[in-house]
């Protein structure tokens, strides 16, 4: 009989954290996952730290009560603004996305200069800047608020998205940051436009996806080394996925697969009290 790994709770403001879940499932297929998308209250990226912390702590409690034995805060904004409060409120280990992304960028950047893109709230918190500074890396943080709605619209290869990304990145890789050689995707939605960002970013730049980096950190915490991840699909145990959403279940089923990469069935509506 095979034993399954403990249930991993994944939390995000909405659909975007499914990009993190996708990477987790790829590295740790033999786990149960419960995903909480606070779709009724997104976006978090334009909200205050107090509000985000209140919502995030509520979601963390919900996931813990529903069986999570480890919590992954997939939302960059919630990690940047509220990781300490979530850790203090939870009784299980909690991983965020900022430290893994910063660690990966510090390895990737030879020039010790990095550009981080994220929501307004993530940038204003300077969470990435502090995490990179602690590793001796200079960071330029750039808020790219228009990219989230464009990705949710499904415009991942659209000329408008390309034009918007070009304006943001031209501004970020300027005024002393021309030599920055890593670009951190500090928002759950950006992995969907990775090919577009590759085209638009200066050619010498390495893209660091904090979803991938976080999945690697979580697999390490669980004692899984990459060589132990089964290659063939037959040897993998199928992950068990269950989803909770605070807004329309139908909308979650419709939009979620764009982020997760496969169909979503088991979605339950949750009404969290304030
Ligand atoms: N999940 C958020 C993040 O990674 C983006 C969407 C939002 O603003 O809620 O920062």
């Amino acid at each position: 009989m095979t034993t399954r790994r403990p249930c991993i709770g994944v939390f995000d403001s909405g659909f975007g954290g499914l990009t993190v879940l996708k990477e987790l499932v790829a590295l740790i297929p033999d786990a149960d996952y419960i995903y909480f998308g606070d779709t009724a209250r997104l976006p978090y990226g334009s909200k205050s730290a107090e509000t985000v912390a209140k919502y995030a702590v509520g979601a963390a409690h919900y996931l813990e009560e529903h069986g999570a034995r480890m919590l992954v805060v997939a939302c960059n904004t919630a990690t940047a603004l509220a990781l300490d409060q979530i850790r203090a409120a939870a009784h299980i280990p909690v991983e965020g996305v900022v430290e893994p992304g910063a660690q990966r960028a510090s390895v990737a950047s030879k020039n010790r200069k990095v550009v981080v893109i994220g929501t307004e709230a993530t940038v204003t918190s300077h969470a990435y800047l502090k995490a990179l500074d602690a590793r001796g890396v200079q960071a330029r943080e750039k808020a790219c608020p228009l990219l989230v709605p464009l990705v949710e619209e499904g415009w991942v290869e659209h000329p408008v998205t390309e034009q918007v990304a070009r304006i943001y990145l031209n501004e970020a890789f300027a005024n002393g940051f021309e030599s920055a050689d890593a670009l951190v995707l500090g928002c759950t939605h950006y992995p969907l436009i990775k090919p577009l960002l590759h085209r638009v970013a200066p050619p010498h730049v390495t893209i660091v996806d904090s979803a991938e980096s976080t999945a690697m950190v979580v697999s390490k915490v669980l004692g899984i080394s990459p060589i132990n991840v089964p290659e063939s699909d037959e040897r993998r145990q199928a992950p068990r996925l269950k989803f909770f959403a605070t807004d329309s279940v139908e909308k979650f089923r419709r939009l979620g697969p764009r982020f997760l990469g496969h169909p979503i069935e088991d979605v339950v509506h949750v009404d969290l009290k304030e």
Side-chain angles (χ1 to χ4, degrees):
M1 205 182 85
T2 47
T3 46
R4 296 185 73 85
R5 301 194 184 277
C7 175
I8 302 175
V10 181
F11 159 64
D12 182 54
S13 56
F15 314 97
L18 294 167
T19 56
V20 179
L21 180 59
K22 182 181 176 185
E23 300 300 334
L24 285 165
V25 166
L27 279 189
I28 316 163
D30 54 343
D32 294 340
Y33 293 92
I34 49 177
Y35 180 95
F36 186 105
D38 197 3
T39 42
R41 302 189 287 200
L42 66 81
Y44 280 12
S46 52
K47 294 197 168 61
S48 70
E50 292 70 30
T51 302
V52 169
K54 187 172 71 180
Y55 293 170
V57 165
H61 281 151
Y62 189 89
L63 285 169
E64 209 177 317
E65 279 157 21
H66 284 76
R69 291 295 159 260
M70 177 177 191
L71 177 65
V72 178
V73 183
C75 180
N76 284 258
T77 305
T79 302
L81 273 57
L83 188 63
D84 290 346
Q85 287 100 314
I86 301 169
R87 282 206 168 120
H91 307 92
I92 53 176
V94 179
E95 289 297 332
V97 285
V98 172
E99 284 291 326
Q103 177 55 25
R104 194 73 187 283
S106 121
V107 173
S109 173
K110 303 282 167 281
N111 298 342
R112 316 310 285 156
K113 267 193 185 182
V114 164
V115 166
V116 182
I117 53 175
T119 64
E120 196 71 58
T122 297
V123 164
T124 309
S125 77
H126 298 309
Y128 273 103
L129 186 133
K130 290 174 201 158
L132 285 159
D133 184 56
R135 293 168 170 85
V137 178
Q138 250 185 294
R140 154 87 40 88
E141 299 167 298
K142 177 79 185 156
C144 302
L146 294 176
L147 294 182
V148 165
L150 287 168
V151 169
E152 289 196 355
E153 191 61 32
W155 289 14
V156 293
E157 275 299 343
H158 194 286
V160 170
T161 311
E162 182 152 341
Q163 181 65 11
V164 168
R166 197 176 296 283
I167 293 168
Y168 284 141
L169 294 192
N170 282 350
E171 284 173 8
F173 286 90
N175 302 323
F177 271 76
E178 292 81 357
S179 64
D181 55 357
L183 172 66
V184 179
L185 308 187
C187 174
T188 48
H189 288 54
Y190 303 165
L192 270 82
I193 52 167
K194 221 191 282 181
L196 182 150
L197 292 170
H198 259 299
R199 288 200 302 276
V200 170
H204 63 276
V205 164
T206 302
I207 292 192
V208 174
D209 179 343
S210 44
E212 280 172 12
S213 319
T214 303
M216 281 182 213
V217 167
V218 172
S219 68
K220 251 195 212 149
V221 169
L222 294 176
I224 306 162
S225 70
I227 31 173
N228 290 339
V229 177
E231 287 293 319
S232 83
D233 281 350
E234 307 92 74
R235 286 175 58 219
R236 285 172 178 245
Q237 285 189 54
R240 284 198 292 237
L241 308 176
K242 181 167 184 149
F243 303 88
F244 300 101
T246 53
D247 193 23
S248 157
V249 163
E250 187 281 321
K251 191 174 177 192
F252 196 92
R253 276 203 209 101
R254 188 161 41 83
L255 284 189
R258 289 189 201 157
F259 294 83
L260 186 62
H262 65 76
I264 288 180
E265 272 130 42
D266 195 358
V267 192
V268 173
H269 179 258
V270 176
D271 202 358
L272 278 196
K273 299 278 164 285
E274 283 288 318

